[in-house]
Structures are given as structure tokens and as C-alpha cells.
Amino acid sequence: MSRIWAVMPAAGQGSRFGGDCPKQYLPLAGKAIIERSIAAILRCPDLAGLVVALGPADSRFAALTCASDPRVHTVTGGDDRARSVENALDYLSASADPDDWVLVHDAARPCLSWSELEALLSAGGSSSEGALLALPVVDTLKRVDSDGRVVATVERDQLWRAQTPQYFPLFKLRDALRHCRLAGEQVTDEASAMQAVGARPRVVAGSHRNIKITHPEDLALAEGFLRELQQQVQQ
Ligand SMILES: Nc1ccn([C@@H]2O[C@H](COP(=O)(O)OP(=O)(O)OP(=O)(O)O)[C@@H](O)[C@H]2O)c(=O)n1
Ligand SMILES: C[C@](O)(CO)[C@H](O)COP(=O)(O)O
């Protein structure tokens, strides 16, 4: 029986957000953003374990309640998100079985709901090519030059915005990320690595609430989305 593991890249410094505190440790409705992201992933039934990739100088994580959850392990992240994920998968390689799967979820996405995670788990297992939460693009997309001038309109039909979690066979993903690193191919999500080795992951329609906290204005949005989610649960 294949098991499900999880990896959470949490070694970023939040340069686009600014400030002295890495954004994943900022409070969101009374808890750190990363605590909410971890809680969302720990809802996965029978999760075999979660590996959080931390910055080398991270001194905050150990003080969080979730750090003492027996399912939660930590590794040191890398210079980019892909390397952080690869480091966590290397750590898991010692414990995982060949047919195990892994969820990869950004620490900066605290508003993931159980219904979205459930939909991903249901769809992902249907093929070995994996799956990811995503949203169809609804704005008109422009390609812009270095002067800020529009040079083209990008056809948006069939364009989706990738989110996380992304869900793949664990060893296939580890090998794909290693392949991209050795080939000098920069990837910004796990699906890109899997695509680079020929996979065609399935998109699963997510929610606009599953926001990635990137800029300061995203915090207020996330607070509103959390309130909506909490009201839904109470209904
Ligand atoms: N070397 C890195 C860089 C990013 N991340 C993680 O990848 C997720 C998505 O990255 P992003 O939103 O870009 O976070 P930061 O890299 O912190 O932000 P910025 O690019 O603005 O510095 C975050 O949870 C971040 O902590 C990581 O684990 N290791
Ligand atoms: C993985 C991701 O959240 C999918 O949209 C995104 O690629 C992360 O990008 P970032 O620049 O590392 O935040």
C-alpha cells in the first residue's frame, strides 16, 4: 500500500514581502503563517510524515507547537525553492518506499482548505504523472518589454496559474528535480521538473483563497479568506 508524505519549502527570506521577519513566521489571525500551512497539510489522512525545509539560520521554527508533532521533521533548505524541495526528498528517500507519493506545499500558502486537498488527492492518484492545484487565468495577459510597454497579448485560453500542493510519485519527483538541477534548468514548481522528464501532470481546479503570501497586501486578503473558510466550517 503506497503511503503519502509531504514536503514544505520554508527556507525563503521573503524579499518581495520585505521586513526583518521571514514572511512565513508573520502572524495570520493569531498563528504564524507556516503553522496554518502545516495544519492544512496535516489534515491529510494517514500522512506518513512532513519534512519542512528551513533556512540555515532559522531560529523560529523550533518554538512553534507544530514542531513537536511526531509527524514533522526538518531539513536545511537550499539556495532556491527547488533545491529546498530536493533536500527534503533526499531526506525522505531513506524512509520512503518505491511506490510512495509526496505532496509539496508552500509554507506561504496558509489558506488551503480540506476540500481542495481532498480533490487533489483524489485526482492525483489516477495516474503516475501526478497533479497540482491550479486556477484558470481570468485576466487578459500582456507581455511587456523592459520599458514597461506592451509588446504582445498572450492568448489566455488554456492558461492556468499553478498553486500548491503539487502531488507526485516521490522518487520520480526527486529524480526529476535532480535532473533539472544537473541540466542547469531552473524550475519554480515541481510540475515543471516532472514536465522536463516527459510527464503531463493533471491540473485540479483550486480556489482563489489558496493565496501565496508574497507582498504585504496579501496578508489582509489571507485574513479575509481564512474568515470565509472558518465560517464555511461552522455552517
Ligand atoms: N531557497 C528557498 C526559497 C523559497 N523557499 C520557499 O518556497 C515557497 C515559495 O517561495 P516564495 O513565495 O518565493 O518565498 P520567498 O523565496 O521567501 O519570497 P521571495 O522570492 O520574495 O524572497 C516559500 O514557502 C519559501 O519559504 C524555500 O523553501 N527555499
Ligand atoms: C510553486 C508556486 O507556488 C506555484 O505557483 C510558485 O512557483 C512559487 O514561486 P516563488 O517565486 O518561489 O514564490
Side-chain angles (χ1 to χ4, degrees), residues 105-142:
H105 186 51
D106 292 332
R109 289 186 187 266
C111 300
L112 174 70
S113 71
W114 163 241
S115 60
E116 293 160 76
L117 179 55
E118 188 179 36
L120 178 68
L121 292 170
S122 303
S126 63
S127 94
S128 64
E129 302 195 80
L132 66 148
L133 289 179
L135 279 178
V137 166
V138 295
D139 301 304
T140 296
L141 295 178
K142 302 293 183 187

mmCIF file of all heavy atoms in Angstrom, residues 105-142:
data_model
loop_
_atom_site.group_PDB
_atom_site.id
_atom_site.type_symbol
_atom_site.label_atom_id
_atom_site.label_comp_id
_atom_site.label_asym_id
_atom_site.label_seq_id
_atom_site.Cartn_x
_atom_site.Cartn_y
_atom_site.Cartn_z
ATOM 1 N N HIS A 105 3.916 21.529 -0.586
ATOM 2 C CA HIS A 105 3.059 22.693 -0.349
ATOM 3 C C HIS A 105 3.888 23.851 0.199
ATOM 4 O O HIS A 105 4.668 23.682 1.142
ATOM 5 C CB HIS A 105 1.954 22.332 0.646
ATOM 6 C CG HIS A 105 0.940 23.430 0.849
ATOM 7 N ND1 HIS A 105 0.304 24.069 -0.199
ATOM 8 C CD2 HIS A 105 0.461 23.996 1.995
ATOM 9 C CE1 HIS A 105 -0.513 24.991 0.283
ATOM 10 N NE2 HIS A 105 -0.440 24.972 1.616
ATOM 11 N N ASP A 106 3.686 25.032 -0.367
ATOM 12 C CA ASP A 106 4.436 26.214 0.067
ATOM 13 C C ASP A 106 4.072 26.590 1.499
ATOM 14 O O ASP A 106 2.882 26.643 1.830
ATOM 15 C CB ASP A 106 4.096 27.430 -0.817
ATOM 16 C CG ASP A 106 4.586 27.304 -2.242
ATOM 17 O OD1 ASP A 106 5.600 26.606 -2.456
ATOM 18 O OD2 ASP A 106 3.944 27.903 -3.131
ATOM 19 N N ALA A 107 5.064 26.918 2.305
ATOM 20 C CA ALA A 107 4.788 27.437 3.653
ATOM 21 C C ALA A 107 4.016 28.750 3.562
ATOM 22 O O ALA A 107 3.327 29.146 4.510
ATOM 23 C CB ALA A 107 6.097 27.669 4.409
ATOM 24 N N ALA A 108 4.108 29.404 2.415
ATOM 25 C CA ALA A 108 3.494 30.727 2.234
ATOM 26 C C ALA A 108 2.045 30.652 1.744
ATOM 27 O O ALA A 108 1.471 31.664 1.348
ATOM 28 C CB ALA A 108 4.329 31.540 1.239
ATOM 29 N N ARG A 109 1.466 29.439 1.784
ATOM 30 C CA ARG A 109 0.064 29.289 1.356
ATOM 31 C C ARG A 109 -0.754 28.744 2.534
ATOM 32 O O ARG A 109 -0.984 27.524 2.639
ATOM 33 C CB ARG A 109 -0.032 28.353 0.149
ATOM 34 C CG ARG A 109 0.526 28.948 -1.144
ATOM 35 C CD ARG A 109 0.276 28.045 -2.338
ATOM 36 N NE ARG A 109 0.937 28.505 -3.550
ATOM 37 C CZ ARG A 109 0.366 29.274 -4.488
ATOM 38 N NH1 ARG A 109 -0.901 29.677 -4.308
ATOM 39 N NH2 ARG A 109 1.034 29.657 -5.552
ATOM 40 N N PRO A 110 -1.187 29.624 3.444
ATOM 41 C CA PRO A 110 -1.862 29.178 4.679
ATOM 42 C C PRO A 110 -3.348 28.910 4.531
ATOM 43 O O PRO A 110 -3.967 28.419 5.485
ATOM 44 C CB PRO A 110 -1.643 30.376 5.620
ATOM 45 C CG PRO A 110 -1.594 31.563 4.709
ATOM 46 C CD PRO A 110 -0.939 31.085 3.440
ATOM 47 N N CYS A 111 -3.949 29.233 3.396
ATOM 48 C CA CYS A 111 -5.421 29.182 3.298
ATOM 49 C C CYS A 111 -5.924 27.977 2.516
ATOM 50 O O CYS A 111 -7.016 27.994 1.956
ATOM 51 C CB CYS A 111 -5.945 30.475 2.665
ATOM 52 S SG CYS A 111 -5.530 31.948 3.598
ATOM 53 N N LEU A 112 -5.122 26.926 2.455
ATOM 54 C CA LEU A 112 -5.536 25.691 1.760
ATOM 55 C C LEU A 112 -6.664 25.024 2.542
ATOM 56 O O LEU A 112 -6.569 24.841 3.755
ATOM 57 C CB LEU A 112 -4.343 24.742 1.665
ATOM 58 C CG LEU A 112 -4.635 23.353 1.096
ATOM 59 C CD1 LEU A 112 -4.938 23.426 -0.403
ATOM 60 C CD2 LEU A 112 -3.446 22.412 1.368
ATOM 61 N N SER A 113 -7.733 24.667 1.839
ATOM 62 C CA SER A 113 -8.872 24.013 2.522
ATOM 63 C C SER A 113 -8.792 22.501 2.356
ATOM 64 O O SER A 113 -8.117 21.983 1.453
ATOM 65 C CB SER A 113 -10.190 24.505 1.908
ATOM 66 O OG SER A 113 -10.335 23.956 0.605
ATOM 67 N N TRP A 114 -9.530 21.788 3.209
ATOM 68 C CA TRP A 114 -9.561 20.331 3.109
ATOM 69 C C TRP A 114 -10.207 19.905 1.788
ATOM 70 O O TRP A 114 -9.732 18.994 1.121
ATOM 71 C CB TRP A 114 -10.311 19.724 4.282
ATOM 72 C CG TRP A 114 -10.724 18.301 4.032
ATOM 73 C CD1 TRP A 114 -11.995 17.800 3.995
ATOM 74 C CD2 TRP A 114 -9.851 17.192 3.720
ATOM 75 N NE1 TRP A 114 -11.957 16.443 3.705
ATOM 76 C CE2 TRP A 114 -10.666 16.050 3.521
ATOM 77 C CE3 TRP A 114 -8.452 17.045 3.586
ATOM 78 C CZ2 TRP A 114 -10.156 14.800 3.205
ATOM 79 C CZ3 TRP A 114 -7.942 15.798 3.265
ATOM 80 C CH2 TRP A 114 -8.779 14.692 3.091
ATOM 81 N N SER A 115 -11.200 20.618 1.330
ATOM 82 C CA SER A 115 -11.886 20.191 0.094
ATOM 83 C C SER A 115 -10.942 20.270 -1.107
ATOM 84 O O SER A 115 -10.945 19.409 -1.985
ATOM 85 C CB SER A 115 -13.132 21.046 -0.155
ATOM 86 O OG SER A 115 -12.778 22.400 -0.296
ATOM 87 N N GLU A 116 -10.067 21.291 -1.111
ATOM 88 C CA GLU A 116 -9.096 21.391 -2.211
ATOM 89 C C GLU A 116 -8.088 20.251 -2.125
ATOM 90 O O GLU A 116 -7.740 19.612 -3.116
ATOM 91 C CB GLU A 116 -8.358 22.736 -2.144
ATOM 92 C CG GLU A 116 -9.216 23.953 -2.414
ATOM 93 C CD GLU A 116 -8.561 25.209 -1.846
ATOM 94 O OE1 GLU A 116 -7.603 25.684 -2.462
ATOM 95 O OE2 GLU A 116 -9.003 25.668 -0.800
ATOM 96 N N LEU A 117 -7.587 19.986 -0.898
ATOM 97 C CA LEU A 117 -6.602 18.913 -0.714
ATOM 98 C C LEU A 117 -7.224 17.569 -1.086
ATOM 99 O O LEU A 117 -6.610 16.746 -1.779
ATOM 100 C CB LEU A 117 -6.109 18.902 0.734
ATOM 101 C CG LEU A 117 -5.076 17.829 1.114
ATOM 102 C CD1 LEU A 117 -3.854 17.889 0.204
ATOM 103 C CD2 LEU A 117 -4.667 17.976 2.578
ATOM 104 N N GLU A 118 -8.459 17.365 -0.676
ATOM 105 C CA GLU A 118 -9.156 16.105 -0.982
ATOM 106 C C GLU A 118 -9.308 15.920 -2.488
ATOM 107 O O GLU A 118 -9.073 14.842 -3.032
ATOM 108 C CB GLU A 118 -10.534 16.128 -0.313
ATOM 109 C CG GLU A 118 -11.304 14.826 -0.385
ATOM 110 C CD GLU A 118 -12.657 14.927 0.318
ATOM 111 O OE1 GLU A 118 -13.283 16.017 0.243
ATOM 112 O OE2 GLU A 118 -13.079 13.935 0.942
ATOM 113 N N ALA A 119 -9.641 17.008 -3.177
ATOM 114 C CA ALA A 119 -9.807 16.929 -4.638
ATOM 115 C C ALA A 119 -8.471 16.579 -5.302
ATOM 116 O O ALA A 119 -8.409 15.760 -6.235
ATOM 117 C CB ALA A 119 -10.329 18.261 -5.169
ATOM 118 N N LEU A 120 -7.386 17.152 -4.800
ATOM 119 C CA LEU A 120 -6.067 16.865 -5.373
ATOM 120 C C LEU A 120 -5.685 15.417 -5.147
ATOM 121 O O LEU A 120 -5.228 14.711 -6.057
ATOM 122 C CB LEU A 120 -5.016 17.791 -4.754
ATOM 123 C CG LEU A 120 -3.580 17.574 -5.219
ATOM 124 C CD1 LEU A 120 -3.403 17.955 -6.694
ATOM 125 C CD2 LEU A 120 -2.595 18.359 -4.362
ATOM 126 N N LEU A 121 -5.901 14.927 -3.930
ATOM 127 C CA LEU A 121 -5.555 13.539 -3.597
ATOM 128 C C LEU A 121 -6.364 12.568 -4.460
ATOM 129 O O LEU A 121 -5.843 11.559 -4.948
ATOM 130 C CB LEU A 121 -5.795 13.273 -2.111
ATOM 131 C CG LEU A 121 -4.865 14.009 -1.136
ATOM 132 C CD1 LEU A 121 -5.365 13.858 0.300
ATOM 133 C CD2 LEU A 121 -3.425 13.513 -1.253
ATOM 134 N N SER A 122 -7.611 12.914 -4.683
ATOM 135 C CA SER A 122 -8.468 12.022 -5.486
ATOM 136 C C SER A 122 -7.996 11.981 -6.936
ATOM 137 O O SER A 122 -7.882 10.932 -7.549
ATOM 138 C CB SER A 122 -9.919 12.504 -5.444
ATOM 139 O OG SER A 122 -10.350 12.581 -4.119
ATOM 140 N N ALA A 123 -7.676 13.156 -7.462
ATOM 141 C CA ALA A 123 -7.295 13.216 -8.891
ATOM 142 C C ALA A 123 -5.870 12.719 -9.103
ATOM 143 O O ALA A 123 -5.554 12.062 -10.097
ATOM 144 C CB ALA A 123 -7.412 14.654 -9.387
ATOM 145 N N GLY A 124 -5.022 13.025 -8.137
ATOM 146 C CA GLY A 124 -3.587 12.771 -8.354
ATOM 147 C C GLY A 124 -3.266 11.309 -8.501
ATOM 148 O O GLY A 124 -2.445 10.909 -9.322
ATOM 149 N N GLY A 125 -3.963 10.477 -7.706
ATOM 150 C CA GLY A 125 -3.618 9.063 -7.707
ATOM 151 C C GLY A 125 -4.052 8.339 -8.974
ATOM 152 O O GLY A 125 -3.730 7.174 -9.181
ATOM 153 N N SER A 126 -4.767 9.079 -9.876
ATOM 154 C CA SER A 126 -5.335 8.379 -11.037
ATOM 155 C C SER A 126 -4.275 8.072 -12.089
ATOM 156 O O SER A 126 -4.476 7.278 -12.977
ATOM 157 C CB SER A 126 -6.434 9.252 -11.666
ATOM 158 O OG SER A 126 -5.849 10.456 -12.132
ATOM 159 N N SER A 127 -3.136 8.745 -12.014
ATOM 160 C CA SER A 127 -2.070 8.409 -12.970
ATOM 161 C C SER A 127 -0.731 8.735 -12.332
ATOM 162 O O SER A 127 -0.638 9.569 -11.438
ATOM 163 C CB SER A 127 -2.222 9.237 -14.252
ATOM 164 O OG SER A 127 -1.417 10.409 -14.176
ATOM 165 N N SER A 128 0.310 8.104 -12.829
ATOM 166 C CA SER A 128 1.630 8.294 -12.201
ATOM 167 C C SER A 128 2.252 9.622 -12.603
ATOM 168 O O SER A 128 3.362 9.955 -12.212
ATOM 169 C CB SER A 128 2.566 7.162 -12.623
ATOM 170 O OG SER A 128 2.773 7.229 -14.027
ATOM 171 N N GLU A 129 1.495 10.411 -13.410
ATOM 172 C CA GLU A 129 2.078 11.690 -13.852
ATOM 173 C C GLU A 129 1.799 12.814 -12.867
ATOM 174 O O GLU A 129 2.280 13.922 -13.034
ATOM 175 C CB GLU A 129 1.560 12.016 -15.257
ATOM 176 C CG GLU A 129 1.913 10.896 -16.228
ATOM 177 C CD GLU A 129 1.750 11.327 -17.677
ATOM 178 O OE1 GLU A 129 2.644 12.003 -18.200
ATOM 179 O OE2 GLU A 129 0.710 10.990 -18.244
ATOM 180 N N GLY A 130 0.958 12.510 -11.853
ATOM 181 C CA GLY A 130 0.758 13.462 -10.781
ATOM 182 C C GLY A 130 -0.251 14.547 -11.108
ATOM 183 O O GLY A 130 -0.884 14.546 -12.166
ATOM 184 N N ALA A 131 -0.382 15.474 -10.154
ATOM 185 C CA ALA A 131 -1.407 16.520 -10.285
ATOM 186 C C ALA A 131 -1.007 17.729 -9.450
ATOM 187 O O ALA A 131 -0.137 17.642 -8.572
ATOM 188 C CB ALA A 131 -2.753 15.985 -9.823
ATOM 189 N N LEU A 132 -1.640 18.841 -9.756
ATOM 190 C CA LEU A 132 -1.384 20.068 -8.996
ATOM 191 C C LEU A 132 -2.647 20.913 -8.952
ATOM 192 O O LEU A 132 -3.462 20.868 -9.889
ATOM 193 C CB LEU A 132 -0.259 20.880 -9.635
ATOM 194 C CG LEU A 132 -0.510 21.469 -11.013
ATOM 195 C CD1 LEU A 132 0.235 22.780 -11.177
ATOM 196 C CD2 LEU A 132 -0.094 20.485 -12.126
ATOM 197 N N LEU A 133 -2.811 21.638 -7.857
ATOM 198 C CA LEU A 133 -3.896 22.611 -7.794
ATOM 199 C C LEU A 133 -3.522 23.798 -8.679
ATOM 200 O O LEU A 133 -2.356 24.195 -8.752
ATOM 201 C CB LEU A 133 -4.124 23.090 -6.359
ATOM 202 C CG LEU A 133 -4.742 22.085 -5.383
ATOM 203 C CD1 LEU A 133 -4.886 22.717 -4.003
ATOM 204 C CD2 LEU A 133 -6.090 21.581 -5.870
ATOM 205 N N ALA A 134 -4.525 24.330 -9.362
ATOM 206 C CA ALA A 134 -4.288 25.461 -10.271
ATOM 207 C C ALA A 134 -5.610 26.167 -10.507
ATOM 208 O O ALA A 134 -6.683 25.643 -10.189
ATOM 209 C CB ALA A 134 -3.688 24.963 -11.590
ATOM 210 N N LEU A 135 -5.496 27.384 -11.083
ATOM 211 C CA LEU A 135 -6.692 28.169 -11.409
ATOM 212 C C LEU A 135 -6.599 28.676 -12.833
ATOM 213 O O LEU A 135 -5.515 29.150 -13.240
ATOM 214 C CB LEU A 135 -6.794 29.380 -10.474
ATOM 215 C CG LEU A 135 -7.381 29.161 -9.085
ATOM 216 C CD1 LEU A 135 -7.341 30.456 -8.305
ATOM 217 C CD2 LEU A 135 -8.806 28.625 -9.179
ATOM 218 N N PRO A 136 -7.681 28.599 -13.603
ATOM 219 C CA PRO A 136 -7.631 29.175 -14.960
ATOM 220 C C PRO A 136 -7.418 30.685 -14.888
ATOM 221 O O PRO A 136 -7.948 31.366 -14.005
ATOM 222 C CB PRO A 136 -8.994 28.829 -15.551
ATOM 223 C CG PRO A 136 -9.865 28.446 -14.419
ATOM 224 C CD PRO A 136 -8.999 28.030 -13.288
ATOM 225 N N VAL A 137 -6.624 31.183 -15.823
ATOM 226 C CA VAL A 137 -6.369 32.636 -15.881
ATOM 227 C C VAL A 137 -7.646 33.355 -16.307
ATOM 228 O O VAL A 137 -8.338 32.902 -17.235
ATOM 229 C CB VAL A 137 -5.224 32.923 -16.888
ATOM 230 C CG1 VAL A 137 -5.150 34.409 -17.232
ATOM 231 C CG2 VAL A 137 -3.893 32.445 -16.304
ATOM 232 N N VAL A 138 -7.989 34.429 -15.608
ATOM 233 C CA VAL A 138 -9.220 35.161 -15.949
ATOM 234 C C VAL A 138 -8.929 36.575 -16.432
ATOM 235 O O VAL A 138 -9.841 37.275 -16.894
ATOM 236 C CB VAL A 138 -10.190 35.225 -14.747
ATOM 237 C CG1 VAL A 138 -10.690 33.825 -14.391
ATOM 238 C CG2 VAL A 138 -9.521 35.883 -13.541
ATOM 239 N N ASP A 139 -7.686 37.029 -16.331
ATOM 240 C CA ASP A 139 -7.343 38.380 -16.803
ATOM 241 C C ASP A 139 -6.744 38.289 -18.199
ATOM 242 O O ASP A 139 -6.171 37.257 -18.570
ATOM 243 C CB ASP A 139 -6.302 39.033 -15.864
ATOM 244 C CG ASP A 139 -6.797 39.131 -14.431
ATOM 245 O OD1 ASP A 139 -7.876 39.736 -14.226
ATOM 246 O OD2 ASP A 139 -6.148 38.553 -13.544
ATOM 247 N N THR A 140 -6.816 39.339 -18.949
ATOM 248 C CA THR A 140 -6.074 39.406 -20.203
ATOM 249 C C THR A 140 -4.598 39.549 -19.867
ATOM 250 O O THR A 140 -4.230 40.313 -18.967
ATOM 251 C CB THR A 140 -6.557 40.617 -21.045
ATOM 252 O OG1 THR A 140 -7.926 40.389 -21.400
ATOM 253 C CG2 THR A 140 -5.712 40.760 -22.316
ATOM 254 N N LEU A 141 -3.754 38.755 -20.546
ATOM 255 C CA LEU A 141 -2.322 38.726 -20.206
ATOM 256 C C LEU A 141 -1.516 39.492 -21.240
ATOM 257 O O LEU A 141 -1.719 39.330 -22.445
ATOM 258 C CB LEU A 141 -1.840 37.268 -20.147
ATOM 259 C CG LEU A 141 -2.458 36.401 -19.045
ATOM 260 C CD1 LEU A 141 -1.926 34.984 -19.137
ATOM 261 C CD2 LEU A 141 -2.187 36.971 -17.665
ATOM 262 N N LYS A 142 -0.627 40.335 -20.779
ATOM 263 C CA LYS A 142 0.215 41.133 -21.673
ATOM 264 C C LYS A 142 1.680 40.753 -21.478
ATOM 265 O O LYS A 142 2.131 40.585 -20.343
ATOM 266 C CB LYS A 142 0.063 42.630 -21.355
ATOM 267 C CG LYS A 142 -1.363 43.174 -21.455
ATOM 268 C CD LYS A 142 -1.870 43.167 -22.864
ATOM 269 C CE LYS A 142 -3.276 43.791 -22.937
ATOM 270 N NZ LYS A 142 -3.853 43.641 -24.293
#
